Amino acid sequence: MNKYFAHSGTRSDKSDWQTLKDHLHSVAEVAEQNSRYFNANKLSYLAGLLHDLGKYTPEFQARLEGSPNKVDHATAGAKVAAEILPPPWNNLIAYAIAGHHAGLANGTGEGDGRRALKERLNLQFGRELPLLDNQTWKSELAIPSIESLSPQISPNPDVDVQGFQYVFLIRMIFSCLVDADFIDTDKFYKNLEGKPLWRGGYPQLAELKLRLDDALAEMIKKSDPAKKVNQLRKEILDNARLKAQLPPGLFTLTVPTGGGKTLSSMAFALDHALAHDFRRVIYVIPFTSIIEQNAKVFRDAFGDLGDSAVLEHHSNFDDRKVANKEGAEETRDKLKLAMENWDMPVVVTTAVQFFESLFADRPSRCRKLHNITGSVIILDEAQTLPLKFLRPVMAAIDELARNYRCSVVICTATQPALREPDFEKGFKDVREIAPEPERLFEELSLVNVSHLGELSDDELVSRIQANEQILTIVNNRRHAQSLFQTLKDQETEGVFHLTTLMCAAHRSETLEIIRDRLKPENALPCRVISTSLIEAGVDVDFPCVMRAEAGLDSIAQAAGRCNRERLREKADSHVWIFKSPDWRIPPELEGFAAGMRSVLRRGFKNLLGQDAIKAYFSDVYWRKGDELDQKQLLKACRVGASKLDFPFQKIASDFRMIDSFMLPVFIPYNDEAKALLKELESTDEVSSVLRKLQPYIVQIPRSGFDSLQMARVIQMVAPNRFEEQFWELVNLDIYDAEFGISWTEPNFIKAENLVF
């Protein structure tokens, strides 16, 4: 028999080349291990065993020896797998094998740059595909028994979701395969080059629990036990730890602002993971603006183990944080590898990263998915789940809990009404972690909420001027600019403006000034006009807040900026809702505002109470109807279920939580930004420089971007390297110290009004 190789080495006698047999067995074993938290072990093993079957050909071996001819080595294994598996499972792992380099393809029909699976399975050996050396591969590879290959997946009682379950399983097996392939290939080449692997060696969850226990005990020791808020925080924490012993599944944690839900949820997660042999905690946060502060809370709580235990995975991560620490190079390398497959014990990431990966088709995005299994997943601020994908997202959450040994905690102060019977075909058997949420909200209530009716801008300005410290949130950038300018023109003291037309570095500087003026020892006039950006976890504390009509969840977020530190009596803390006759509500907000008005008409005693919140979400979901699966993703899965014919590429393309009509422009805001833009022109560390430039980006709508481009106030950065990928603001005259990008060109103004 001939000797076949998977990867070439450095020696001409091939003594350091990796044999194909070793590679396939190694990948199969790692893929099987990767799937240990769900019942498809042998399917994953078989996918690993067959993924490079096409290398058992003279043509591919010639390729390893320097032949320029490309060889399709993935289709062969997919064809053989489809022949081995009985109906209806024929294609179950064929998708994963065929796509382990380029990505999961559609079952039939056209895809972007990839042949459909059916088309590839119809290719013939000896014609479109090289002939396999059947004698050798069959002697070197032992196929598992057919009986062991049947996946043990508990079916969802909702038949409309069962097709989605197959899609989910295929994607998970794909993850197990591509990660195993990456790991074994990386190991081979690192050994060849004499380089370290930088994998593993992370703290155990039991160690993290001990550190967290110590941190919580110290916090309780330092707090005043006589204060009601501290008593309630301890009650919430104690209850969370008690509930951690419950069986795995779906949970809610409904805790008002100031109730300590961040650390209570982590305490629950660690205790629950240890009680049920889970391996990690994944904390999912909706906004990049607060992800760093949450990750820091966890690192601090884990003390000396924090840096080696917590992985931040988001677009703003800056590896300069570890630059001056001992072993910095090793730490950066390990973090980079961990971002690829999430093998650290605590992962803090964004909702976009988490959910888009669960619907992805590319190896780089799917590689980490199998490491989500066997985890406690905390969905923070769960009310922000995107309505246009709410049903597919709920299907994914349910499936993780049903078949992939996960517990999911839906964590928020404004709990979305996602359970049956409040939500048709909603979650079942959901356990609440917090003790008596309605009572907690009553006892921790911080503010009075009332609706003032219509307020003209003149009346609004008068009310702002009558309060020395007040936050006013409106739905439109132009409205915010108009109010701010009027207040400035009238020489109102202590007026500030916040908008996403400022880069993040600029907003951060402004917020520091605002926080300083709000300190009780300073108590300076501080009147802030902002768009909804300030509701995304920005830590400020005003005695009163005015909020233009919006969804009740947005109003609750606005209320979280009022009396946040409990420095005032409830009677002195106000959230005033108003309707503006001068500025219409953006169409994308109207449905939410209508839901809020519906609740208002029903006369709830507390507009932010649990009954009112439940009624609000039920109303919003009823209004949305079929739009809760806007792209009909579940239907696409259901239609293809009988033949396992699924449009993986279309699903991945359609599932975009943030619409891509926004385009980034770099702002040379200060000397650091200017130096980084200069460095970008020549550096080999492009990713690192781009991460450092994140605080200097302003996102612009497509039409507004086009008007900036036509006026030549922006230009390409290093077009010889990046073509039209990166743009820089070159006319700083239109970047205002108070407004950010401020331009009166009509097309730009029109584009601005699309964004609130």
Side-chain angles (χ1 to χ4, degrees), residues 462-703:
S462 295
R463 188 173 279 266
I464 292 169
Q465 290 171 331
N467 291 271
E468 284 208 335
Q469 293 187 340
I470 184 169
L471 168 64
T472 303
I473 305 171
V474 294
N475 295 320
N476 180 285
R477 286 172 175 164
R478 284 284 157 184
H479 192 186
Q481 287 186 5
S482 175
L483 287 172
F484 176 80
Q485 192 62 58
T486 300
L487 289 162
K488 291 287 285 186
D489 291 345
Q490 295 182 12
E491 299 183 353
T492 309
E493 188 178 357
V495 183
F496 298 90
H497 176 248
L498 290 169
T499 169
T500 51
L501 286 178
M502 298 169 161
C503 65
H506 187 179
R507 290 199 304 272
S508 295
E509 289 178 5
T510 305
L511 279 165
E512 283 308 305
I513 297 169
I514 290 168
R515 291 185 182 111
D516 191 60
R517 296 178 75 91
L518 290 171
K519 288 178 180 176
E521 60 268 30
N522 296 334
L524 294 169
C526 187
R527 300 171 171 98
V528 176
I529 313 298
S530 178
T531 58
S532 60
L533 73 91
I534 202 166
E535 295 168 356
V538 178
D539 187 3
V540 288
D541 182 11
F542 285 83
C544 48
V545 172
M546 300 195 70
R547 181 58 167 99
E549 281 193 344
L552 202 53
D553 51 335
S554 293
I555 291 165
Q557 289 296 318
R561 314 310 126 200
C562 181
N563 200 16
R564 190 178 182 87
E565 303 299 327
R566 290 174 170 77
L567 300 174
R568 309 163 194 90
E569 294 298 322
K570 179 179 178 179
D572 300 322
S573 306
H574 298 278
V575 174
W576 293 306
I577 307 165
F578 65 93
K579 182 176 182 179
S580 174
D582 302 317
W583 300 83
R584 71 181 183 91
I585 295 177
E588 58 267 41
L589 279 185
E590 179 53 47
F592 300 100
M596 182 275 296
R597 291 188 213 105
S598 173
V599 171
L600 191 66
R601 286 193 296 270
R602 293 169 64 178
F604 285 94
K605 180 181 176 183
N606 180 0
L607 198 57
L608 298 184
Q610 293 303 288
D611 290 342
I613 293 292
K614 182 189 291 187
Y616 162 74
F617 278 112
S618 295
D619 186 271
V620 168
Y621 298 154
W622 173 79
R623 289 173 188 274
K624 288 291 181 181
D626 291 342
E627 291 181 40
L628 296 177
D629 185 5
Q630 190 180 84
K631 300 290 185 177
Q632 297 290 291
L633 302 183
L634 295 181
K635 180 180 178 181
C637 298
R638 185 182 72 243
V639 169
S642 62
K643 297 181 180 179
L644 295 190
D645 175 9
F646 302 116
F648 282 99
Q649 286 179 267
K650 186 176 187 308
I651 290 171
S653 175
D654 284 346
F655 193 94
R656 289 288 181 268
M657 289 178 65
I658 299 175
D659 292 324
S660 59
F661 65 88
M662 303 294 283
L663 296 166
V665 173
F666 293 123
I667 310 298
Y669 177 69
N670 55 23
D671 289 342
E672 180 186 48
K674 292 171 185 174
L676 288 168
L677 285 166
K678 185 70 176 174
E679 186 179 352
L680 191 60
E681 295 177 5
S682 57
T683 183
D684 292 329
E685 300 293 329
V686 173
S687 296
S688 177
V689 173
L690 288 175
R691 283 197 298 270
K692 295 169 188 175
L693 276 166
Q694 282 288 335
Y696 303 106
I697 283 176
V698 171
Q699 299 282 353
I700 305 293
R702 173 86 250 183
S703 54

Side-chain angles (χ1 to χ4, degrees), residues 6-79:
H7 300 109
S8 58
T10 59
R11 298 175 184 170
S12 57
D13 64 358
K14 302 183 181 178
S15 59
D16 64 350
W17 288 31
Q18 184 183 34
T19 66
L20 184 52
K21 177 184 176 182
D22 286 348
H23 176 62
L24 294 178
H25 278 102
S26 178
V27 171
E29 289 164 7
V30 175
E32 182 178 26
Q33 178 69 6
N34 284 347
S35 63
R36 67 190 181 277
Y37 282 93
F38 62 100
N39 296 318
N41 305 50
K42 290 304 178 185
L43 276 171
S44 298
Y45 180 90
L46 182 61
L49 201 65
L50 299 179
H51 79 284
D52 276 354
L53 200 67
K55 294 183 178 181
Y56 277 107
T57 62
E59 288 85 348
F60 187 84
Q61 297 304 303
R63 174 79 172 165
L64 285 180
E65 292 174 351
S67 168
N69 299 322
K70 293 184 178 181
V71 180
D72 177 354
H73 68 274
T75 302
K79 282 178 65 66

Side-chain angles (χ1 to χ4, degrees), residues 269-465:
L270 288 176
D271 289 2
H272 190 71
L274 290 168
H276 300 290
D277 193 29
F278 288 1
R279 53 180 169 171
R280 68 178 43 86
V281 176
I282 301 175
Y283 206 97
V284 183
I285 298 173
F287 313 112
T288 55
S289 58
I290 58 173
I291 191 170
E292 292 184 3
Q293 69 189 44
N294 281 51
K296 184 179 185 301
V297 167
F298 297 141
R299 285 198 189 93
D300 291 346
F302 297 143
D304 59 319
L305 299 180
D307 285 338
S308 56
V310 179
L311 169 69
E312 281 180 62
H313 190 185
H314 57 96
S315 59
N316 290 351
F317 178 74
D318 186 350
D319 60 14
R320 288 177 294 181
K321 295 173 186 174
V322 297
N324 298 319
K325 297 182 180 180
E326 185 178 349
E329 182 179 356
E330 176 183 347
T331 302
R332 279 197 300 268
D333 286 344
K334 290 184 79 167
L335 285 172
K336 183 178 178 182
L337 290 168
M339 283 185 193
E340 294 170 357
N341 76 345
W342 284 10
D343 63 350
M344 286 178 72
V346 177
V347 176
V348 184
T349 190
T350 62
V352 171
Q353 176 66 239
F354 183 80
F355 286 111
E356 286 193 359
S357 295
L358 285 171
F359 289 83
D361 61 338
R362 297 280 185 180
S364 58
R365 294 297 297 272
C366 292
R367 181 181 172 186
K368 58 183 170 287
L369 296 185
H370 71 89
N371 273 329
I372 294 175
T373 67
S375 298
V376 182
I377 301 161
I378 301 168
L379 300 179
D380 195 22
E381 304 293 354
Q383 78 282 355
T384 62
L385 292 172
L387 292 191
K388 62 183 177 181
F389 296 124
L390 187 60
R391 285 203 177 276
V393 162
M394 288 176 65
I397 292 170
D398 184 86
E399 188 62 8
L400 285 168
R402 185 180 299 275
N403 285 307
Y404 296 88
R405 287 197 58 199
C406 291
S407 283
V408 184
V409 182
I410 302 169
C411 184
T412 178
T414 51
Q415 197 65 241
L418 299 178
R419 310 187 199 195
E420 287 192 334
D422 303 313
F423 189 92
E424 185 184 4
K425 297 184 178 180
F427 293 136
K428 298 177 181 178
D429 303 321
V430 183
R431 282 74 49 86
E432 174 59 54
I433 295 170
E436 303 175 72
E438 189 67 48
R439 174 179 62 84
L440 290 178
F441 277 77
E442 286 296 326
E443 296 190 26
L444 280 173
S445 179
L446 305 172
V447 300
N448 292 294
V449 183
S450 57
H451 197 296
L452 301 178
E454 284 196 353
L455 285 183
S456 68
D457 277 7
D458 288 342
E459 292 171 314
L460 198 53
V461 166
S462 295
R463 188 173 279 266
I464 292 169
Q465 290 171 331

